[in-house]
Structures are given as C-alpha cells and as structure tokens.
Amino acid sequence: MTLTTATPTAPALQLPPATELKSEILRLKREKDAVLLAHYYQDSEIQDLADHLGDSLQLAQAAKKATQKVICFCGVHFMAETAKILNPDKTVIVPDMNAGCSLADACPPEQLAAWKAKHPEYKVVAYINCSAGVKALCDIICTSSNAERVVRSFPAETPILFVPDRNLGGYLMKKLNRPMKLWQGTCIVHETFSERKIVDLKVAHPEAEFIAHPECEPTVLRHADFIGSTSALLGYVAKSPKQAFIVGTETGILHQMKKAAPSKTFIAGPFEGEEKCACNQCPHMKLNTLEKLWLCLKTLKPTLEMSPELIEKARIPLERMLALG
Ligand code: 13P
Ligand code: SF4
C-alpha cells in the first residue's frame, strides 16, 4: 500500500509491511524524538503504542511536561491545538488534521464574541472541546474531569456563560445548584445515545450499572448510576464491586476498561435505528489510523501551525485551569 504526504508534489511513500508497521512507528518515534499522546477514543492499536494515554486533562498535562522535540497527537484538532498552545516551540503533528469535533464546530469565535458583548458582566468558562479562537475569548478552560472545581472557583454570585456543551453545562448547573447561561453545542456521539434503549438494556441486565459521560443528554444521564469523564469512568469500573456495566460513552474506552477489569462485562451503550450503526464511535477520532500515524511520524506532517498572538491569548485561560489542578 502507498500513501501520499500532505504535499501533492511529494513522492508517494511505501508503507512498511503490516507485520512491521507497529515496530516501525516505535522506531520512528525514537528517531524523530517524538512523544505519542493518545486519547481513550482512539483505536485500540494506537492506544497500545502511546507514551501517554488519557482524558483531555491528562493529555494537556502530559503535553505541558513533554521534553521531546515533537508531539504526535492521536486525538482531535482541539487537543493538538492545546498541546501547541502549551508548547509553542515544539512541532505538533496529527495523523489526520481533519479530525475535528462537533462541539468545537458549534461555537465559532465571532458568535461567542457577539454573545459576550451582550453580557459584559459575565465570566466565560469554556469546555476544552473548543477552538483556540474560543479559548482566547474566555476566562478559564475546564475539562469533564475538573469542570466542577473550575465553576466553583468563581464566587456564587458571579454570572457565568458556559460554552460550548449544553449537556455538560446543564449537568453542572444541576449538580452545583448554580444557574449559568449555556451555549447550545452538543457532541454528535453522546447526543445520540437512546434513552429508550438504555432503559431496555437496564431491564435486560438488572445486575449491570449504567455509567455515562456528562456530554450525554439529560434524559440519558438521569438513568446513570455514575457520571464522569473518561478517566473517571475507567477508574469507577476498576473499583466498583459490580461485575457488569452499560457504558454511555465512545467505545474506544472499552479497550482500557477490559484491561483494567478483565473479568468484568462491558456493554456498549446503544442507539436508536440500525442494528449495525456505529454511532457510538466518534468519526473524527477514528480518522486517525496506524497507517496515517506512520506517515505523519515519517514526514513530520501535517504540522499544526498557529499564530503567536493566538497562542498567547489562548494560553492564559488554559494555564489558569492547569494551575487549579
Ligand atoms: P474526556 O476524555 O476529557 O472525558 O473527554 C471526552 C471527549 O469527548 C473528548 O472529546
Ligand atoms: Fe468531539 Fe464528541 Fe468526538 Fe469527543 S466524541 S471529539 S466531543 S465529537
């Protein structure tokens, strides 16, 4: 199989034989002085090659600590941007630069700027699943791991605009008993879980606990026995005395759940519609493949480029979050 680089004029490169692909990736990683960061929603074979595997917060923390010259980010665009903001002098590459995010797409910076202008007295808390342009406009970033702590860091009387995830925002409002104005973005994966089918599964598996990511709709979250970020869900299944779990998040996490608790049973959360639909897989995350990973390490492309001005503005709210822990 041949793959072309991002430059149309560059010669096609010959992929190593399938049996050597993984060892070649590991060799290139050393040769190019690259660290490989991967999110839990990546394909299992990419997860197994990563130097650091984690949720959005853990990966941002790993990026900040990176000592290598190159950061190869197996995740989506906003995650790689975060790594670049924290490491302006490093080369940041992504196997497929088209790996976007419906939440980031839902909140264009110009629209947020207009909303902010209408509410000048409000502080803006942005979920990390947003573009650098949005980060540059907000007061602080949060992830699903630290969102409660971040919102609590503002005095109760401080009014907050929460962007771009209305489901995480709504979950926080309820949990913290705190009103916020919410941007109406959603994750295309988590919004598709079916309440009716989750209830059917719970009836069919009364021994199982239903665990869910806070990006799910409130109609689904109300049936959850535990709600948390990907790393919190992973920690929960490892510690819980229960033996079976219905998992309401992207299926990539099941790989680590099975490793952490090999004797337990994991049932992927279901959707309405076609039996064979793969709606519980993020189409953006799954754009990254082993072949593209090899190619991007080989060529150090595609490279993520950002203006120094944007990096500087977006760095401030990110550093505020990292300082909170
Ligand atoms: P976390 O891994 O931070 O929970 O985020 C989930 C997600 O949807 C990432 O895009
Ligand atoms: Fe974005 Fe949802 Fe994919 Fe995460 S799973 S990258 S929130 S579209």
Side-chain angles (χ1 to χ4, degrees), residues 174-282:
K174 206 166 156 202
K175 183 105 197 260
L176 303 176
N177 191 23
R178 176 168 189 154
M180 296 192 288
K181 286 194 188 296
L182 305 179
W183 195 269
Q184 292 300 306
T186 52
C187 161
I188 47 168
V189 179
H190 292 88
E191 74 173 352
T192 318
F193 284 105
S194 155
E195 180 189 15
R196 189 177 65 82
K197 291 211 168 180
I198 295 281
V199 172
D200 288 351
L201 266 187
K202 284 189 83 160
V203 171
H205 300 274
E207 76 291 1
E209 282 189 311
F210 173 49
I211 59 171
H213 195 280
E215 288 174 14
C216 292
E217 294 286 329
T219 47
V220 165
L221 290 179
R222 69 184 171 192
H223 299 286
D225 300 295
F226 178 77
I227 297 170
S229 65
T230 49
S231 55
L233 297 177
L234 183 56
Y236 185 80
V237 300
K239 285 205 190 108
S240 168
K242 293 278 180 173
Q243 291 301 309
F245 303 87
I246 302 160
V247 181
T249 193
E250 214 269 3
T251 54
I253 190 74
L254 296 182
H255 182 53
Q256 295 305 320
M257 288 180 171
K258 286 174 192 160
K259 279 190 183 181
S263 62
K264 297 186 181 179
T265 303
F266 302 102
I267 305 157
F271 297 89
E272 290 291 348
E274 290 278 312
E275 278 301 303
K276 285 187 186 145
C277 125
C279 308
N280 49 10
Q281 296 186 16
C282 174

Side-chain angles (χ1 to χ4, degrees), residues 39 41 55-56 78-79 127 129 144 213 215 229-230 285:
H39 188 267
Y41 295 165
D55 67 11
S56 307
F78 77 81
M79 295 178 172
Y127 186 33
N129 297 36
S144 48
H213 195 280
E215 288 174 14
S229 65
T230 49
M285 289 277 184

Side-chain angles (χ1 to χ4, degrees), residues 5-296:
T5 61
T7 318
T9 50
L13 288 167
Q14 188 68 43
L15 264 179
T19 48
E20 289 166 28
L21 196 50
K22 290 182 187 171
S23 57
E24 265 303 291
I25 288 170
L26 293 174
R27 191 191 63 74
L28 280 172
K29 205 160 58 77
R30 287 190 297 274
E31 181 186 299
K32 308 283 181 170
D33 190 24
V35 62
L36 181 55
L37 307 184
H39 188 267
Y40 290 128
Y41 295 165
Q42 292 294 284
D43 282 338
S44 52
E45 44 196 7
I46 293 183
Q47 292 187 32
D48 290 344
L49 293 176
D51 296 301
H52 299 282
L53 183 64
D55 67 11
S56 307
L57 179 63
Q58 291 166 329
L59 293 176
Q61 288 165 333
K64 192 170 158 66
K65 286 194 200 135
T67 52
Q68 293 82 348
K69 280 196 282 199
V70 176
I71 296 178
C72 179
F73 213 117
C74 291
V76 292
H77 191 266
F78 77 81
M79 295 178 172
E81 270 189 338
T82 302
K84 182 71 181 174
I85 293 164
L86 296 170
N87 294 279
D89 298 330
K90 291 193 196 295
T91 300
V92 176
I93 52 176
V94 185
D96 193 320
M97 203 55 87
N98 292 319
C101 170
S102 66
L103 276 169
D105 291 346
C107 188
E110 319 75 63
Q111 289 181 21
L112 175 58
W115 204 41
K116 263 183 75 170
K118 280 194 202 152
H119 303 287
E121 71 283 20
Y122 279 67
K123 296 289 181 192
V124 182
V125 178
Y127 186 33
I128 199 164
N129 297 36
C130 63
S131 66
V134 162
K135 289 186 175 74
L137 291 170
C138 72
D139 294 285
I140 191 164
I141 305 296
C142 72
T143 74
S144 48
S145 285
N146 62 15
E148 289 180 40
R149 194 178 330 150
V150 169
V151 171
R152 276 206 191 98
S153 71
F154 292 96
E157 61 282 5
T158 304
I160 291 177
L161 300 178
F162 188 88
V163 303
D165 187 356
R166 69 162 188 228
N167 289 333
L168 175 61
Y171 166 73
L172 292 167
M173 280 172 53
K174 206 166 156 202
K175 183 105 197 260
L176 303 176
N177 191 23
R178 176 168 189 154
M180 296 192 288
K181 286 194 188 296
L182 305 179
W183 195 269
Q184 292 300 306
T186 52
C187 161
I188 47 168
V189 179
H190 292 88
E191 74 173 352
T192 318
F193 284 105
S194 155
E195 180 189 15
R196 189 177 65 82
K197 291 211 168 180
I198 295 281
V199 172
D200 288 351
L201 266 187
K202 284 189 83 160
V203 171
H205 300 274
E207 76 291 1
E209 282 189 311
F210 173 49
I211 59 171
H213 195 280
E215 288 174 14
C216 292
E217 294 286 329
T219 47
V220 165
L221 290 179
R222 69 184 171 192
H223 299 286
D225 300 295
F226 178 77
I227 297 170
S229 65
T230 49
S231 55
L233 297 177
L234 183 56
Y236 185 80
V237 300
K239 285 205 190 108
S240 168
K242 293 278 180 173
Q243 291 301 309
F245 303 87
I246 302 160
V247 181
T249 193
E250 214 269 3
T251 54
I253 190 74
L254 296 182
H255 182 53
Q256 295 305 320
M257 288 180 171
K258 286 174 192 160
K259 279 190 183 181
S263 62
K264 297 186 181 179
T265 303
F266 302 102
I267 305 157
F271 297 89
E272 290 291 348
E274 290 278 312
E275 278 301 303
K276 285 187 186 145
C277 125
C279 308
N280 49 10
Q281 296 186 16
C282 174
H284 301 291
M285 289 277 184
K286 271 25 185 198
L287 281 177
N288 295 324
T289 61
L290 271 189
E291 289 78 9
K292 290 179 199 171
L293 172 55
W294 173 83
L295 185 65
C296 99

